[in-house]
Amino acid sequence: MSKLRNIIKRIIQPFLKTGLTYYYRKPRKYNYQDVEVLVHPEVFPPHLTLSTKILLDYIVELDLKNKAFLELGCGSGIISLLASKKGAFVTATDINNIALDYLKKASFENQLKVDVIDSDLFRNLKNKSFDLIIINPPYYPKKAKNIKEKAWFCGEEFEYFKNLFNQLPNFITSHNQVNMILSEDCQIETITSIASLNNLKLTSVYETSKMGEINNIFEINLT
């Protein structure tokens, strides 16, 4: 089934890319329940991708009241806004200043408080601690040409994951939770091996299949 999906994806990819370029030629609204964001063309698009919706469905069931919540690489920020709506003290980070500016506007318009920080991974989060960290990482091993592509590509040598897993142990405690979503389309074995080099273990805590694609939400713990 996976091989068939890959063949189909290779066939339709040029058409899909053209369609996405046309669809995202201007900012588009995206909403979940009664939370709404405006997504700029230079920001990761949650509309036609699966991961954001899966994470929204996952965290909406969690008790987040008075929890310190971090969305690491927030993109549109709708996950952070939902967490705020559920009573969390929310920090949202990204390296894309357009994403951060749009999230600040969405925070005001939704009347939901979010602490928005420009940070490459944990660089500007020193001395902070969190009860729950959510990560929707760039999956694909290719060099990004610009900030927008860094939401998709983790570097030819998986540099994103090497940096993430090098820093993450400093933010894991025996009392908090770290979740990361990965699609079956990414090289999960390579990613888990990089994690293990940093004494980290990925355990699937939620699996779903949508549009023929399996996605897992992993919990990351120290070994």
Side-chain angles (χ1 to χ4, degrees), residues 41-144:
E42 292 298 312
V43 175
F44 179 81
H47 310 75
L48 304 178
T49 55
L50 298 174
S51 56
T52 300
K53 177 61 164 54
I54 293 169
L55 285 171
L56 288 166
D57 289 342
Y58 176 73
I59 70 167
V60 78
E61 301 295 331
L62 302 180
D63 178 11
L64 298 180
K65 190 170 181 59
N66 297 325
K67 299 289 181 67
F69 180 99
L70 170 64
E71 184 181 9
L72 193 71
C74 62
S76 71
I78 194 164
I79 289 172
S80 290
L81 292 169
L82 178 64
S84 179
K85 180 185 174 184
K86 289 180 61 63
F89 301 109
V90 179
T91 299
T93 70
D94 211 291
I95 58 174
N96 186 332
N97 286 320
I98 295 175
L100 298 178
D101 288 342
Y102 269 62
L103 176 53
K104 290 175 184 176
K105 294 175 185 176
S107 174
F108 175 78
E109 291 170 355
N110 287 274
Q111 299 182 19
L112 294 169
K113 182 174 175 54
V114 175
D115 186 14
V116 180
I117 298 177
D118 181 350
S119 182
D120 185 356
L121 296 176
F122 293 96
R123 179 176 297 169
N124 295 326
L125 298 175
K126 294 175 182 177
N127 302 318
K128 291 182 178 291
S129 60
F130 304 96
D131 297 306
L132 176 60
I133 300 173
I134 293 289
I135 308 169
N136 186 2
Y139 298 161
Y140 304 111
K142 180 179 175 181
K143 183 177 180 180

